Amino acid sequence: MSFDVTSQSMRFEAPLPLRSGAQIRDYSLAYETYGQLNAERSNAVLVCHALNASHHVAGRYADQPKSEGWWDNMIGPGKSLDTNRFFVIGINNLGSCFGSTGPMHVNPDTGRIYGADFPVVTVEDWVDAQARLLDALGIDTLAAVMGGSLGGMQALSWTLQYPERVRHAAVIASAPNLNAENIAFNEVARRAIVTDPDFHGGHFYEHGVVPRRGLRIARMIGHITYLSDDVMNEKFGRQLRNGTAIHYSTQDVEFQIESYLRYQGDKFSEYFDANTYLLITRALDYFDPAGAYGGELRAALARATAKFLLVSFSTDWRFSPARSREIVKALLDNRRSVSYAEIDAPHGHDAFLLDDARYLGVVRAWFEGIAAELGGAA
Amino acid sequence: MSFDVTSQSMRFEAPLPLRSGAQIRDYSLAYETYGQLNAERSNAVLVCHALNASHHVAGRYADQPKSEGWWDNMIGPGKSLDTNRFFVIGINNLGSCFGSTGPMHVNPDTGRIYGADFPVVTVEDWVDAQARLLDALGIDTLAAVMGGSLGGMQALSWTLQYPERVRHAAVIASAPNLNAENIAFNEVARRAIVTDPDFHGGHFYEHGVVPRRGLRIARMIGHITYLSDDVMNEKFGRQLRNGTAIHYSTQDVEFQIESYLRYQGDKFSEYFDANTYLLITRALDYFDPAGAYGGELRAALARATAKFLLVSFSTDWRFSPARSREIVKALLDNRRSVSYAEIDAPHGHDAFLLDDARYLGVVRAWFEGIAAELGGAA
């Protein structure tokens, strides 16, 4: 059973300086909250989202029965992250197309839609913006910050940018940075979008078109990298769409996997903004806390004082367990408190969003520990 | 040192029936031969090509100093496949854009360029066409057939379609069929091409354009799958193109890997035919000798009587060693003679084209065995 939630929005007039040297002013952040902030204001948990997600993390909108949030299996009353005990905040990042100010909104400096002129935002910028939202909500310190994939990068970055404001951090199915292959897949997806004639240099809004072709290709590539080889073979294998008949066509669908990917691409291209796709994949590319430390992750993480939970999934080849172990090692080298679970799951990177008793159990136990630390307050 | 070679062509007027039910008539096959056919006509070795290759397997054209064939490191006088002992035939497949009849040629039935109307060709069709070329060259039996990747599939198919005409088969970096992930990558590449507005349903020749955008994306995707994660990290890692300065741009090149992929995509789009790309990836998708045997590879390979060499490469995630081992097992279950080498190489699928002393040594030893069987004849 899910629970009813409401989307909220907060406007920020003061300019937010960005890592690129640019700034953004007069922007809004969409967010949701679940549960009650306790009197000590000590039980807040911030949940950060990945590429194709939003502040709508859990629960559903009263008028939309099938609108469960993207981590609804994880978060809610009595769930692993228990909203009876914690005050959970979902936030939509700057540049997104799901409510916060993004490329499809009007640039207050020009009166025109941002489009490709929306400033490049980084994981660090998002964390800064999230910190301002917490300020506005009167929350000084987070009991925990949690995220998967790109959301895990934000959780990690929180512990480095605002170590004194984060007591615990859950970094799930994530990595300390993208490797060359990760960047390569992002780049192909971006090229598909940017070279779509309907992209118009990122100012397609003015032309009344959407670079659907490019978005479809981008999503198809993404989907392949989210799934494991094994789960693809199990779900689709070499199954033909039409029973046993091959049609000998280079352009029509022959295999179920093609049909599935085309469907995912089509669906995505109808709601996702092309400029947002570029921005978010670039934020992924740029994230590299060790970069300023000559590649020494240990040195980069020395600032972190939070207690960590790291979770990885055995068949995740996008952000493999080895990448999580890099973070674990760097934290342990700094004598930080780290719990690490490597979950044997067949679903690849997608596993972090799926039901898995061991995975949900690990997160539950971790939050129970945090609740115990909070004592009667949680 | 390479050696001089000449491209040849043979025309076939009789219609070739294809697996699709269609047929093709009045077509030409481009081919090259190296070495001398012995008096017994028993030392011929056919080399089959993969996606982006041709009949120009070894040697170079006298007037083009840098025109070495794609497997020149493997084949030539004194090399692993020694043209002093063997008569080597390289052949360009139907539907290719490198000399044999393909989509950019005129359909004799209509007088128009084939374009998307070029019939869908399968691995089995290619083998049939290759057999006709051998007939015309007066070669009844091959000492060996050899190929890597898609070329390996042709070598395998030879042993099933014409078991009595093949004494040995080398199947390198190949697979008994594509898995769902392989098909998925092919499909994304095809969608990029087909949805490029310059594709014009495959009849772009008449419009004087080429679907370059789609071809670029297809090649970029392909390249990622040819390389291993390790070799990408070693060659490119997170290296920026311009030293240490990030430019905070979603559309410009930031990382070396992006620059590399764009270059590969650009180059490819200037010479490769879009319809050929569709045809060849479909031939890959369709190949599945076990398909007619309820997925039982053992049953499918029962017909093969050749002696086999299988080679795989440890970091090849496109056609992983596990896929080669499936073939090895099915052959052994049929009590066939099989040598198998799993080469520990960092280069991913590309390894089958690269210099590796152990790999080249394995192939050399195998061909020395064949030469010994031929006795004085080779």
Side-chain angles (χ1 to χ4, degrees), chain A residues 5 12 69 83 140 219 252 264-265 278 284 331 334 347 370:
Chain A
V5 302
F12 297 83
T83 52
D140 195 48
R219 184 57 164 178
D252 297 338
Q264 295 293 340
L278 304 185
L284 274 160
L331 289 168
N334 282 300
H347 307 95
I370 298 174

Side-chain angles (χ1 to χ4, degrees), chain A residues 35 72 97 134 173 191 195 222 259 309 319 363 371:
Chain A
D72 190 66
C97 50
L134 295 190
R191 293 314 289 166
T195 63
S259 178
L309 170 66
F319 293 153
V363 176

Side-chain angles (χ1 to χ4, degrees), chain A residues 19-20 116 120 122 177-181 183-185 187-188 190-192 194-195 197 199 201 213 217 220-221 224 229 232-233 236-238 246-255 257-258 261-262 278-279 282 285-288 317, chain B residues 19-20 116 120 122 177-181 183-185 187-188 190-192 194-195 197 199 201 213 217 220-221 224 229 232-233 236-238 246-255 257-258 261-262 278-279 282 285-288 317:
Chain A
R19 293 301 180 285
S20 65
V120 170
T122 64
N177 61 24
L178 295 198
N179 65 16
E181 188 184 81
I183 296 172
F185 279 120
E187 171 68 0
V188 184
R190 280 192 297 264
R191 293 314 289 166
V194 168
T195 63
F199 183 66
R213 288 173 288 247
I217 297 295
M220 291 170 87
I221 294 169
I224 298 175
D229 203 18
M232 264 203 195
N233 283 328
F236 305 104
R238 295 182 50 81
I246 291 180
H247 294 90
Y248 296 99
S249 164
T250 56
Q251 299 187 35
D252 297 338
V253 164
E254 289 273 27
F255 297 92
I257 180 67
E258 298 175 321
L261 286 177
R262 288 197 196 184
L278 304 185
L279 287 168
R282 257 315 188 212
D285 289 357
Y286 287 141
F287 182 68
D288 186 21
W317 60 280
Chain B
R19 292 303 180 283
S20 66
V120 170
T122 65
N177 61 24
L178 295 198
N179 65 17
E181 188 184 81
I183 296 173
F185 279 120
E187 171 68 359
V188 183
R190 280 191 298 262
R191 293 315 289 166
V194 167
T195 64
F199 183 65
R213 287 173 290 247
I217 298 297
M220 290 170 87
I221 294 169
I224 298 175
D229 201 20
M232 264 203 194
N233 283 329
F236 305 103
R238 295 182 50 81
I246 290 180
H247 293 90
Y248 295 98
S249 163
T250 56
Q251 298 186 36
D252 297 339
V253 163
E254 288 275 27
F255 297 92
I257 180 67
E258 298 176 319
L261 286 178
R262 288 197 195 185
L278 304 187
L279 288 168
R282 257 314 188 212
D285 290 357
Y286 287 140
F287 182 69
D288 186 21
W317 59 281

Side-chain angles (χ1 to χ4, degrees), chain A residues 134-183:
Chain A
L134 295 190
D135 294 342
L137 296 175
I139 296 165
D140 195 48
T141 308
L142 289 167
V145 60
M146 170 157 96
S149 190
L150 173 57
M153 291 176 169
Q154 293 161 60
L156 180 59
S157 205
W158 257 100
T159 70
L160 306 176
Q161 293 176 246
Y162 300 98
E164 72 290 353
R165 297 184 73 172
V166 198
R167 289 199 301 271
H168 304 83
V171 178
I172 297 174
S174 196
N177 61 24
L178 295 198
N179 65 16
E181 188 184 81
N182 296 143
I183 296 172

Side-chain angles (χ1 to χ4, degrees), chain A residues 5-25:
Chain A
V5 302
T6 314
S7 181
Q8 303 174 65
S9 183
M10 195 174 292
R11 186 169 159 197
F12 297 83
E13 295 196 354
L16 178 75
L18 304 171
R19 293 301 180 285
S20 65
Q23 56 177 37
I24 184 163
R25 68 177 181 87

Side-chain angles (χ1 to χ4, degrees), chain B residues 64-81:
Chain B
Q64 299 171 46
K66 288 192 167 176
S67 62
E68 277 82 8
W70 56 272
W71 226 346
D72 191 64
N73 61 345
M74 176 72 85
I75 298 165
K79 294 185 181 172
S80 295
L81 170 46

